[in-house]
Structures are given as structure tokens and as C-alpha cells.
Amino acid sequence: MKKNVWIAPIVLVLALILNSCGTQQKATAPVTTPVAQEPVVAVEPLKEVISIADALDMYQNPDKVDAITKKYGYKLKTNYEVYRLDKFSKMYYKNCALAKLLTADKYEDYPKPMRKGV
């Protein structure tokens, strides 16, 4: 019988604690601000540079490489070897000069800086 007497007050205290722990808070809607959109600018591809589509075509179809590189004005150097660095069976270049030729097929690994007045 004593168990029943203590169970009722314990349940009552727990019910009061659970009901009184939280406070009612009202949620406010966040203020939405309009997002400024960047203007879209039309961009034209450079006609003297290989496009991504042509580069993929060169990668997937090696037989088209010569035609595509001639279309954009690239030059071919075969068996290009940079001294103590690397060797390339084919190298395409444009708007640059090759390094100084050391032997019949080897080039200097870096250009020497030019001095003024010499």
C-alpha cells in the first residue's frame, strides 16, 4: 500500500516537471532579400586558339591532329628533347621560339636571361 502512495506523487511531480520545462516561443519568418543576379555576358571564342571541341577531337582521333593544328597555325617539331629534362616525339608550338640548340637534336633546358647593353 505504501508503494501506491509514493507512486502517485512521483507521477504528479514528473508530469509537472515535464510540462513546465519548456517555454513557448513564437517563430518569426526570416526576411527574404532579393538576390542580385550577375548579368550574362556573351563571350566569343578566340579564333587563334584551339577550342575544347577540337582538342577533344584531337585526343579521340589522332589522325585529325595535323589538320586541326594547321587550321590554327601551330608548328610541329618532331623528336624535341630538352637537355636533362624530357623528350617529346611530337611537340606543337605557336607564338614562341624554341630553346637554344645544343646538339643535333637536344635543346637547352632554359633560356639564358638577356643582359642589357650587350
Side-chain angles (χ1 to χ4, degrees), residues 50-95:
I50 291 179
S51 67
I52 295 173
D54 284 337
L56 285 173
D57 196 21
M58 288 172 57
Y59 181 73
Q60 293 171 347
N61 303 311
D63 55 327
K64 295 183 179 180
V65 171
D66 292 332
I68 293 173
T69 54
K70 284 182 185 177
K71 173 182 168 184
Y72 290 101
Y74 284 84
K75 300 173 190 165
L76 170 66
K77 177 66 180 167
T78 56
N79 297 325
Y80 183 75
E81 182 177 351
V82 179
Y83 183 66
R84 291 189 276 169
L85 188 62
D86 208 348
K87 185 173 184 174
F88 306 96
S89 60
K90 289 183 176 181
M91 184 187 75
Y92 293 94
Y93 64 98
K94 180 179 177 180
N95 298 334

mmCIF file of all heavy atoms in Angstrom, residues 50-95:
data_model
loop_
_atom_site.group_PDB
_atom_site.id
_atom_site.type_symbol
_atom_site.label_atom_id
_atom_site.label_comp_id
_atom_site.label_asym_id
_atom_site.label_seq_id
_atom_site.Cartn_x
_atom_site.Cartn_y
_atom_site.Cartn_z
ATOM 1 N N ILE A 50 42.999 26.823 -80.071
ATOM 2 C CA ILE A 50 42.243 25.584 -80.268
ATOM 3 C C ILE A 50 41.068 25.540 -79.303
ATOM 4 O O ILE A 50 41.223 25.794 -78.109
ATOM 5 C CB ILE A 50 43.145 24.349 -80.069
ATOM 6 C CG1 ILE A 50 44.160 24.260 -81.195
ATOM 7 C CG2 ILE A 50 42.338 23.072 -80.018
ATOM 8 C CD1 ILE A 50 45.094 23.097 -81.086
ATOM 9 N N SER A 51 39.898 25.209 -79.825
ATOM 10 C CA SER A 51 38.715 25.110 -78.983
ATOM 11 C C SER A 51 38.722 23.779 -78.229
ATOM 12 O O SER A 51 39.454 22.855 -78.578
ATOM 13 C CB SER A 51 37.451 25.217 -79.834
ATOM 14 O OG SER A 51 37.348 24.088 -80.684
ATOM 15 N N ILE A 52 37.891 23.698 -77.214
ATOM 16 C CA ILE A 52 37.803 22.462 -76.428
ATOM 17 C C ILE A 52 37.288 21.321 -77.299
ATOM 18 O O ILE A 52 37.765 20.196 -77.211
ATOM 19 C CB ILE A 52 36.914 22.679 -75.193
ATOM 20 C CG1 ILE A 52 37.568 23.682 -74.252
ATOM 21 C CG2 ILE A 52 36.641 21.371 -74.474
ATOM 22 C CD1 ILE A 52 36.717 24.106 -73.094
ATOM 23 N N ALA A 53 36.343 21.616 -78.151
ATOM 24 C CA ALA A 53 35.798 20.577 -79.033
ATOM 25 C C ALA A 53 36.883 20.034 -79.964
ATOM 26 O O ALA A 53 36.987 18.813 -80.173
ATOM 27 C CB ALA A 53 34.640 21.145 -79.843
ATOM 28 N N ASP A 54 37.718 20.930 -80.516
ATOM 29 C CA ASP A 54 38.805 20.472 -81.385
ATOM 30 C C ASP A 54 39.865 19.709 -80.601
ATOM 31 O O ASP A 54 40.430 18.730 -81.095
ATOM 32 C CB ASP A 54 39.449 21.656 -82.109
ATOM 33 C CG ASP A 54 38.587 22.171 -83.249
ATOM 34 O OD1 ASP A 54 37.751 21.391 -83.754
ATOM 35 O OD2 ASP A 54 38.759 23.335 -83.635
ATOM 36 N N ALA A 55 40.146 20.135 -79.379
ATOM 37 C CA ALA A 55 41.124 19.420 -78.555
ATOM 38 C C ALA A 55 40.640 18.009 -78.226
ATOM 39 O O ALA A 55 41.418 17.050 -78.273
ATOM 40 C CB ALA A 55 41.411 20.199 -77.278
ATOM 41 N N LEU A 56 39.357 17.875 -77.919
ATOM 42 C CA LEU A 56 38.798 16.539 -77.680
ATOM 43 C C LEU A 56 38.831 15.696 -78.947
ATOM 44 O O LEU A 56 39.114 14.495 -78.898
ATOM 45 C CB LEU A 56 37.361 16.649 -77.164
ATOM 46 C CG LEU A 56 37.211 17.089 -75.721
ATOM 47 C CD1 LEU A 56 35.751 17.320 -75.391
ATOM 48 C CD2 LEU A 56 37.799 16.065 -74.791
ATOM 49 N N ASP A 57 38.549 16.325 -80.067
ATOM 50 C CA ASP A 57 38.600 15.611 -81.339
ATOM 51 C C ASP A 57 40.024 15.135 -81.630
ATOM 52 O O ASP A 57 40.233 14.016 -82.118
ATOM 53 C CB ASP A 57 38.096 16.520 -82.459
ATOM 54 C CG ASP A 57 37.749 15.751 -83.717
ATOM 55 O OD1 ASP A 57 37.506 14.531 -83.618
ATOM 56 O OD2 ASP A 57 37.702 16.374 -84.796
ATOM 57 N N MET A 58 41.028 15.961 -81.312
ATOM 58 C CA MET A 58 42.427 15.554 -81.497
ATOM 59 C C MET A 58 42.775 14.379 -80.597
ATOM 60 O O MET A 58 43.491 13.465 -80.995
ATOM 61 C CB MET A 58 43.368 16.736 -81.183
ATOM 62 C CG MET A 58 43.364 17.822 -82.203
ATOM 63 S SD MET A 58 44.286 19.292 -81.695
ATOM 64 C CE MET A 58 45.894 18.635 -81.358
ATOM 65 N N TYR A 59 42.270 14.398 -79.387
ATOM 66 C CA TYR A 59 42.564 13.334 -78.424
ATOM 67 C C TYR A 59 41.897 12.021 -78.830
ATOM 68 O O TYR A 59 42.503 10.957 -78.732
ATOM 69 C CB TYR A 59 42.088 13.757 -77.030
ATOM 70 C CG TYR A 59 42.355 12.748 -75.952
ATOM 71 C CD1 TYR A 59 43.642 12.530 -75.480
ATOM 72 C CD2 TYR A 59 41.322 11.996 -75.410
ATOM 73 C CE1 TYR A 59 43.893 11.601 -74.503
ATOM 74 C CE2 TYR A 59 41.561 11.059 -74.427
ATOM 75 C CZ TYR A 59 42.853 10.869 -73.969
ATOM 76 O OH TYR A 59 43.094 9.936 -73.008
ATOM 77 N N GLN A 60 40.665 12.105 -79.317
ATOM 78 C CA GLN A 60 39.933 10.895 -79.675
ATOM 79 C C GLN A 60 40.300 10.375 -81.059
ATOM 80 O O GLN A 60 40.207 9.175 -81.310
ATOM 81 C CB GLN A 60 38.422 11.161 -79.592
ATOM 82 C CG GLN A 60 37.958 11.410 -78.184
ATOM 83 C CD GLN A 60 36.510 11.876 -78.116
ATOM 84 O OE1 GLN A 60 35.924 12.247 -79.130
ATOM 85 N NE2 GLN A 60 35.952 11.866 -76.914
ATOM 86 N N ASN A 61 40.701 11.247 -81.950
ATOM 87 C CA ASN A 61 41.043 10.857 -83.326
ATOM 88 C C ASN A 61 42.432 11.380 -83.669
ATOM 89 O O ASN A 61 42.567 12.469 -84.222
ATOM 90 C CB ASN A 61 40.013 11.412 -84.314
ATOM 91 C CG ASN A 61 38.615 10.962 -83.983
ATOM 92 O OD1 ASN A 61 38.382 9.789 -83.762
ATOM 93 N ND2 ASN A 61 37.692 11.903 -83.928
ATOM 94 N N PRO A 62 43.488 10.640 -83.350
ATOM 95 C CA PRO A 62 44.848 11.125 -83.615
ATOM 96 C C PRO A 62 45.135 11.402 -85.092
ATOM 97 O O PRO A 62 46.051 12.163 -85.409
ATOM 98 C CB PRO A 62 45.735 10.002 -83.092
ATOM 99 C CG PRO A 62 44.885 9.242 -82.130
ATOM 100 C CD PRO A 62 43.495 9.373 -82.631
ATOM 101 N N ASP A 63 44.361 10.820 -86.008
ATOM 102 C CA ASP A 63 44.607 11.065 -87.421
ATOM 103 C C ASP A 63 44.177 12.476 -87.846
ATOM 104 O O ASP A 63 44.588 12.961 -88.901
ATOM 105 C CB ASP A 63 43.894 10.012 -88.277
ATOM 106 C CG ASP A 63 42.402 9.927 -87.976
ATOM 107 O OD1 ASP A 63 42.013 10.144 -86.816
ATOM 108 O OD2 ASP A 63 41.629 9.641 -88.921
ATOM 109 N N LYS A 64 43.399 13.171 -87.048
ATOM 110 C CA LYS A 64 42.952 14.531 -87.363
ATOM 111 C C LYS A 64 43.854 15.611 -86.780
ATOM 112 O O LYS A 64 43.612 16.799 -86.979
ATOM 113 C CB LYS A 64 41.530 14.749 -86.842
ATOM 114 C CG LYS A 64 40.490 13.891 -87.512
ATOM 115 C CD LYS A 64 39.110 14.231 -86.975
ATOM 116 C CE LYS A 64 38.041 13.407 -87.649
ATOM 117 N NZ LYS A 64 36.700 13.749 -87.130
ATOM 118 N N VAL A 65 44.891 15.228 -86.067
ATOM 119 C CA VAL A 65 45.745 16.210 -85.375
ATOM 120 C C VAL A 65 46.399 17.161 -86.354
ATOM 121 O O VAL A 65 46.416 18.380 -86.138
ATOM 122 C CB VAL A 65 46.802 15.479 -84.507
ATOM 123 C CG1 VAL A 65 47.829 16.454 -83.974
ATOM 124 C CG2 VAL A 65 46.135 14.740 -83.379
ATOM 125 N N ASP A 66 46.956 16.644 -87.446
ATOM 126 C CA ASP A 66 47.661 17.512 -88.395
ATOM 127 C C ASP A 66 46.740 18.564 -89.001
ATOM 128 O O ASP A 66 47.111 19.740 -89.111
ATOM 129 C CB ASP A 66 48.287 16.669 -89.506
ATOM 130 C CG ASP A 66 49.422 15.795 -88.987
ATOM 131 O OD1 ASP A 66 50.055 16.195 -87.988
ATOM 132 O OD2 ASP A 66 49.658 14.722 -89.577
ATOM 133 N N ALA A 67 45.529 18.169 -89.363
ATOM 134 C CA ALA A 67 44.595 19.120 -89.972
ATOM 135 C C ALA A 67 44.167 20.194 -88.982
ATOM 136 O O ALA A 67 44.083 21.380 -89.334
ATOM 137 C CB ALA A 67 43.374 18.371 -90.502
ATOM 138 N N ILE A 68 43.912 19.805 -87.743
ATOM 139 C CA ILE A 68 43.449 20.774 -86.739
ATOM 140 C C ILE A 68 44.567 21.740 -86.365
ATOM 141 O O ILE A 68 44.332 22.947 -86.240
ATOM 142 C CB ILE A 68 42.898 20.035 -85.509
ATOM 143 C CG1 ILE A 68 41.612 19.273 -85.885
ATOM 144 C CG2 ILE A 68 42.607 21.005 -84.373
ATOM 145 C CD1 ILE A 68 41.086 18.376 -84.800
ATOM 146 N N THR A 69 45.784 21.256 -86.201
ATOM 147 C CA THR A 69 46.888 22.151 -85.836
ATOM 148 C C THR A 69 47.222 23.114 -86.972
ATOM 149 O O THR A 69 47.568 24.265 -86.730
ATOM 150 C CB THR A 69 48.135 21.357 -85.432
ATOM 151 O OG1 THR A 69 48.475 20.438 -86.466
ATOM 152 C CG2 THR A 69 47.912 20.631 -84.129
ATOM 153 N N LYS A 70 47.124 22.669 -88.224
ATOM 154 C CA LYS A 70 47.358 23.577 -89.355
ATOM 155 C C LYS A 70 46.267 24.647 -89.420
ATOM 156 O O LYS A 70 46.527 25.792 -89.771
ATOM 157 C CB LYS A 70 47.397 22.795 -90.662
ATOM 158 C CG LYS A 70 48.688 22.053 -90.859
ATOM 159 C CD LYS A 70 48.702 21.319 -92.186
ATOM 160 C CE LYS A 70 49.964 20.492 -92.305
ATOM 161 N NZ LYS A 70 49.979 19.697 -93.548
ATOM 162 N N LYS A 71 45.042 24.267 -89.052
ATOM 163 C CA LYS A 71 43.920 25.202 -89.067
ATOM 164 C C LYS A 71 44.171 26.382 -88.132
ATOM 165 O O LYS A 71 43.824 27.526 -88.438
ATOM 166 C CB LYS A 71 42.648 24.457 -88.643
ATOM 167 C CG LYS A 71 41.426 25.302 -88.452
ATOM 168 C CD LYS A 71 40.277 24.424 -87.993
ATOM 169 C CE LYS A 71 39.102 25.228 -87.495
ATOM 170 N NZ LYS A 71 38.033 24.373 -86.964
ATOM 171 N N TYR A 72 44.803 26.135 -86.991
ATOM 172 C CA TYR A 72 45.066 27.184 -86.002
ATOM 173 C C TYR A 72 46.474 27.765 -86.096
ATOM 174 O O TYR A 72 46.838 28.635 -85.320
ATOM 175 C CB TYR A 72 44.826 26.645 -84.592
ATOM 176 C CG TYR A 72 43.368 26.385 -84.314
ATOM 177 C CD1 TYR A 72 42.849 25.104 -84.371
ATOM 178 C CD2 TYR A 72 42.505 27.428 -84.017
ATOM 179 C CE1 TYR A 72 41.508 24.871 -84.126
ATOM 180 C CE2 TYR A 72 41.164 27.199 -83.769
ATOM 181 C CZ TYR A 72 40.669 25.917 -83.827
ATOM 182 O OH TYR A 72 39.341 25.692 -83.592
ATOM 183 N N GLY A 73 47.302 27.284 -87.005
ATOM 184 C CA GLY A 73 48.633 27.857 -87.214
ATOM 185 C C GLY A 73 49.711 27.336 -86.281
ATOM 186 O O GLY A 73 50.723 28.005 -86.071
ATOM 187 N N TYR A 74 49.546 26.160 -85.703
ATOM 188 C CA TYR A 74 50.568 25.582 -84.841
ATOM 189 C C TYR A 74 51.650 24.931 -85.683
ATOM 190 O O TYR A 74 51.385 24.401 -86.765
ATOM 191 C CB TYR A 74 49.954 24.551 -83.888
ATOM 192 C CG TYR A 74 49.195 25.179 -82.758
ATOM 193 C CD1 TYR A 74 47.875 25.576 -82.915
ATOM 194 C CD2 TYR A 74 49.808 25.403 -81.528
ATOM 195 C CE1 TYR A 74 47.185 26.169 -81.895
ATOM 196 C CE2 TYR A 74 49.117 25.994 -80.492
ATOM 197 C CZ TYR A 74 47.800 26.373 -80.686
ATOM 198 O OH TYR A 74 47.111 26.969 -79.663
ATOM 199 N N LYS A 75 52.881 24.961 -85.197
ATOM 200 C CA LYS A 75 54.010 24.349 -85.888
ATOM 201 C C LYS A 75 54.372 23.045 -85.190
ATOM 202 O O LYS A 75 54.172 22.899 -83.994
ATOM 203 C CB LYS A 75 55.209 25.296 -85.864
ATOM 204 C CG LYS A 75 54.930 26.615 -86.545
ATOM 205 C CD LYS A 75 56.082 27.559 -86.345
ATOM 206 C CE LYS A 75 55.687 28.946 -86.808
ATOM 207 N NZ LYS A 75 56.599 29.970 -86.349
ATOM 208 N N LEU A 76 54.950 22.113 -85.949
ATOM 209 C CA LEU A 76 55.309 20.805 -85.424
ATOM 210 C C LEU A 76 56.817 20.680 -85.356
ATOM 211 O O LEU A 76 57.532 21.016 -86.298
ATOM 212 C CB LEU A 76 54.743 19.698 -86.327
ATOM 213 C CG LEU A 76 55.221 18.281 -86.043
ATOM 214 C CD1 LEU A 76 54.733 17.806 -84.680
ATOM 215 C CD2 LEU A 76 54.755 17.340 -87.138
ATOM 216 N N LYS A 77 57.303 20.209 -84.232
ATOM 217 C CA LYS A 77 58.720 19.873 -84.065
ATOM 218 C C LYS A 77 58.760 18.422 -83.609
ATOM 219 O O LYS A 77 58.218 18.065 -82.562
ATOM 220 C CB LYS A 77 59.370 20.792 -83.025
ATOM 221 C CG LYS A 77 60.815 20.468 -82.742
ATOM 222 C CD LYS A 77 61.655 20.730 -83.958
ATOM 223 C CE LYS A 77 63.103 20.396 -83.662
ATOM 224 N NZ LYS A 77 63.906 20.333 -84.856
ATOM 225 N N THR A 78 59.380 17.557 -84.405
ATOM 226 C CA THR A 78 59.477 16.139 -84.049
ATOM 227 C C THR A 78 60.769 15.887 -83.289
ATOM 228 O O THR A 78 61.766 16.593 -83.476
ATOM 229 C CB THR A 78 59.429 15.249 -85.303
ATOM 230 O OG1 THR A 78 60.465 15.652 -86.187
ATOM 231 C CG2 THR A 78 58.081 15.355 -85.987
ATOM 232 N N ASN A 79 60.745 14.897 -82.435
ATOM 233 C CA ASN A 79 61.902 14.483 -81.616
ATOM 234 C C ASN A 79 62.511 15.667 -80.869
ATOM 235 O O ASN A 79 63.718 15.886 -80.905
ATOM 236 C CB ASN A 79 62.956 13.786 -82.482
ATOM 237 C CG ASN A 79 62.407 12.524 -83.082
ATOM 238 O OD1 ASN A 79 61.613 11.822 -82.459
ATOM 239 N ND2 ASN A 79 62.802 12.229 -84.312
ATOM 240 N N TYR A 80 61.692 16.413 -80.210
ATOM 241 C CA TYR A 80 62.154 17.562 -79.432
ATOM 242 C C TYR A 80 62.619 17.069 -78.073
ATOM 243 O O TYR A 80 61.866 16.455 -77.327
ATOM 244 C CB TYR A 80 61.012 18.573 -79.269
ATOM 245 C CG TYR A 80 61.403 19.830 -78.549
ATOM 246 C CD1 TYR A 80 62.166 20.798 -79.178
ATOM 247 C CD2 TYR A 80 61.012 20.050 -77.238
ATOM 248 C CE1 TYR A 80 62.525 21.959 -78.528
ATOM 249 C CE2 TYR A 80 61.368 21.208 -76.577
ATOM 250 C CZ TYR A 80 62.127 22.154 -77.226
ATOM 251 O OH TYR A 80 62.488 23.296 -76.586
ATOM 252 N N GLU A 81 63.872 17.308 -77.760
ATOM 253 C CA GLU A 81 64.431 16.850 -76.489
ATOM 254 C C GLU A 81 65.067 18.023 -75.768
ATOM 255 O O GLU A 81 65.919 18.717 -76.316
ATOM 256 C CB GLU A 81 65.482 15.762 -76.729
ATOM 257 C CG GLU A 81 66.056 15.206 -75.451
ATOM 258 C CD GLU A 81 67.044 14.074 -75.682
ATOM 259 O OE1 GLU A 81 67.154 13.602 -76.810
ATOM 260 O OE2 GLU A 81 67.711 13.686 -74.716
ATOM 261 N N VAL A 82 64.638 18.236 -74.544
ATOM 262 C CA VAL A 82 65.221 19.269 -73.704
ATOM 263 C C VAL A 82 66.300 18.603 -72.869
ATOM 264 O O VAL A 82 66.067 17.588 -72.209
ATOM 265 C CB VAL A 82 64.153 19.927 -72.807
ATOM 266 C CG1 VAL A 82 64.770 20.984 -71.920
ATOM 267 C CG2 VAL A 82 63.056 20.527 -73.657
ATOM 268 N N TYR A 83 67.504 19.159 -72.909
ATOM 269 C CA TYR A 83 68.659 18.559 -72.258
ATOM 270 C C TYR A 83 68.396 18.301 -70.769
ATOM 271 O O TYR A 83 68.030 19.200 -70.052
ATOM 272 C CB TYR A 83 69.866 19.476 -72.455
ATOM 273 C CG TYR A 83 71.151 18.940 -71.885
ATOM 274 C CD1 TYR A 83 71.737 17.810 -72.417
ATOM 275 C CD2 TYR A 83 71.766 19.559 -70.811
ATOM 276 C CE1 TYR A 83 72.921 17.311 -71.904
ATOM 277 C CE2 TYR A 83 72.945 19.067 -70.286
ATOM 278 C CZ TYR A 83 73.509 17.942 -70.848
ATOM 279 O OH TYR A 83 74.673 17.443 -70.331
ATOM 280 N N ARG A 84 68.549 17.081 -70.343
ATOM 281 C CA ARG A 84 68.377 16.611 -68.962
ATOM 282 C C ARG A 84 66.972 16.865 -68.403
ATOM 283 O O ARG A 84 66.801 16.982 -67.211
ATOM 284 C CB ARG A 84 69.410 17.235 -68.032
ATOM 285 C CG ARG A 84 70.812 16.752 -68.274
ATOM 286 C CD ARG A 84 71.723 17.223 -67.195
ATOM 287 N NE ARG A 84 72.163 18.569 -67.507
ATOM 288 C CZ ARG A 84 72.798 19.361 -66.677
ATOM 289 N NH1 ARG A 84 73.068 18.976 -65.468
ATOM 290 N NH2 ARG A 84 73.166 20.559 -67.035
ATOM 291 N N LEU A 85 65.981 16.948 -69.264
ATOM 292 C CA LEU A 85 64.641 17.203 -68.762
ATOM 293 C C LEU A 85 63.630 16.204 -69.321
ATOM 294 O O LEU A 85 63.121 15.380 -68.583
ATOM 295 C CB LEU A 85 64.206 18.640 -69.077
ATOM 296 C CG LEU A 85 62.903 19.086 -68.444
ATOM 297 C CD1 LEU A 85 63.009 19.058 -66.928
ATOM 298 C CD2 LEU A 85 62.530 20.475 -68.918
ATOM 299 N N ASP A 86 63.358 16.258 -70.605
ATOM 300 C CA ASP A 86 62.347 15.381 -71.174
ATOM 301 C C ASP A 86 62.509 15.304 -72.682
ATOM 302 O O ASP A 86 63.192 16.123 -73.299
ATOM 303 C CB ASP A 86 60.942 15.911 -70.839
ATOM 304 C CG ASP A 86 59.915 14.794 -70.781
ATOM 305 O OD1 ASP A 86 60.229 13.666 -71.209
ATOM 306 O OD2 ASP A 86 58.799 15.053 -70.301
ATOM 307 N N LYS A 87 61.881 14.289 -73.271
ATOM 308 C CA LYS A 87 61.926 14.094 -74.719
ATOM 309 C C LYS A 87 60.500 13.931 -75.218
ATOM 310 O O LYS A 87 59.699 13.220 -74.631
ATOM 311 C CB LYS A 87 62.749 12.860 -75.062
ATOM 312 C CG LYS A 87 62.935 12.649 -76.533
ATOM 313 C CD LYS A 87 63.891 11.524 -76.825
ATOM 314 C CE LYS A 87 64.107 11.445 -78.331
ATOM 315 N NZ LYS A 87 65.124 10.482 -78.677
ATOM 316 N N PHE A 88 60.192 14.605 -76.321
ATOM 317 C CA PHE A 88 58.857 14.571 -76.907
ATOM 318 C C PHE A 88 58.972 14.081 -78.337
ATOM 319 O O PHE A 88 59.756 14.625 -79.120
ATOM 320 C CB PHE A 88 58.218 15.963 -76.887
ATOM 321 C CG PHE A 88 58.195 16.588 -75.523
ATOM 322 C CD1 PHE A 88 59.194 17.466 -75.127
ATOM 323 C CD2 PHE A 88 57.184 16.291 -74.635
ATOM 324 C CE1 PHE A 88 59.168 18.036 -73.875
ATOM 325 C CE2 PHE A 88 57.157 16.867 -73.377
ATOM 326 C CZ PHE A 88 58.156 17.729 -72.989
ATOM 327 N N SER A 89 58.186 13.081 -78.709
ATOM 328 C CA SER A 89 58.223 12.605 -80.091
ATOM 329 C C SER A 89 57.607 13.643 -81.029
ATOM 330 O O SER A 89 58.077 13.833 -82.139
ATOM 331 C CB SER A 89 57.504 11.266 -80.219
ATOM 332 O OG SER A 89 56.162 11.409 -79.814
ATOM 333 N N LYS A 90 56.558 14.329 -80.574
ATOM 334 C CA LYS A 90 55.946 15.420 -81.325
ATOM 335 C C LYS A 90 55.629 16.559 -80.372
ATOM 336 O O LYS A 90 55.115 16.331 -79.288
ATOM 337 C CB LYS A 90 54.642 14.973 -81.983
ATOM 338 C CG LYS A 90 54.805 14.029 -83.126
ATOM 339 C CD LYS A 90 53.449 13.732 -83.727
ATOM 340 C CE LYS A 90 53.558 12.863 -84.939
ATOM 341 N NZ LYS A 90 52.247 12.591 -85.533
ATOM 342 N N MET A 91 55.940 17.778 -80.798
ATOM 343 C CA MET A 91 55.598 18.933 -79.996
ATOM 344 C C MET A 91 55.040 20.004 -80.920
ATOM 345 O O MET A 91 55.657 20.345 -81.929
ATOM 346 C CB MET A 91 56.809 19.486 -79.259
ATOM 347 C CG MET A 91 56.416 20.635 -78.339
ATOM 348 S SD MET A 91 57.771 21.483 -77.587
ATOM 349 C CE MET A 91 58.380 22.440 -78.934
ATOM 350 N N TYR A 92 53.857 20.501 -80.574
ATOM 351 C CA TYR A 92 53.232 21.567 -81.334
ATOM 352 C C TYR A 92 53.410 22.865 -80.561
ATOM 353 O O TYR A 92 53.224 22.908 -79.357
ATOM 354 C CB TYR A 92 51.744 21.275 -81.537
ATOM 355 C CG TYR A 92 51.507 20.069 -82.425
ATOM 356 C CD1 TYR A 92 51.319 18.809 -81.879
ATOM 357 C CD2 TYR A 92 51.499 20.208 -83.799
ATOM 358 C CE1 TYR A 92 51.124 17.708 -82.695
ATOM 359 C CE2 TYR A 92 51.293 19.117 -84.619
ATOM 360 C CZ TYR A 92 51.109 17.864 -84.061
ATOM 361 O OH TYR A 92 50.916 16.784 -84.871
ATOM 362 N N TYR A 93 53.789 23.928 -81.264
ATOM 363 C CA TYR A 93 54.007 25.210 -80.602
ATOM 364 C C TYR A 93 53.540 26.339 -81.506
ATOM 365 O O TYR A 93 53.371 26.183 -82.707
ATOM 366 C CB TYR A 93 55.474 25.384 -80.217
ATOM 367 C CG TYR A 93 56.430 25.451 -81.392
ATOM 368 C CD1 TYR A 93 56.877 26.671 -81.865
ATOM 369 C CD2 TYR A 93 56.882 24.294 -82.019
ATOM 370 C CE1 TYR A 93 57.751 26.743 -82.931
ATOM 371 C CE2 TYR A 93 57.749 24.357 -83.086
ATOM 372 C CZ TYR A 93 58.177 25.584 -83.538
ATOM 373 O OH TYR A 93 59.036 25.659 -84.596
ATOM 374 N N LYS A 94 53.328 27.479 -80.855
ATOM 375 C CA LYS A 94 52.850 28.653 -81.582
ATOM 376 C C LYS A 94 53.244 29.884 -80.777
ATOM 377 O O LYS A 94 53.211 29.867 -79.554
ATOM 378 C CB LYS A 94 51.329 28.564 -81.711
ATOM 379 C CG LYS A 94 50.698 29.704 -82.445
ATOM 380 C CD LYS A 94 49.199 29.483 -82.528
ATOM 381 C CE LYS A 94 48.549 30.634 -83.199
ATOM 382 N NZ LYS A 94 47.107 30.462 -83.299
ATOM 383 N N ASN A 95 53.599 30.943 -81.461
ATOM 384 C CA ASN A 95 53.931 32.221 -80.833
ATOM 385 C C ASN A 95 55.048 32.112 -79.813
ATOM 386 O O ASN A 95 55.023 32.763 -78.770
ATOM 387 C CB ASN A 95 52.697 32.842 -80.162
ATOM 388 C CG ASN A 95 51.606 33.138 -81.152
ATOM 389 O OD1 ASN A 95 51.871 33.344 -82.329
ATOM 390 N ND2 ASN A 95 50.377 33.161 -80.693
#
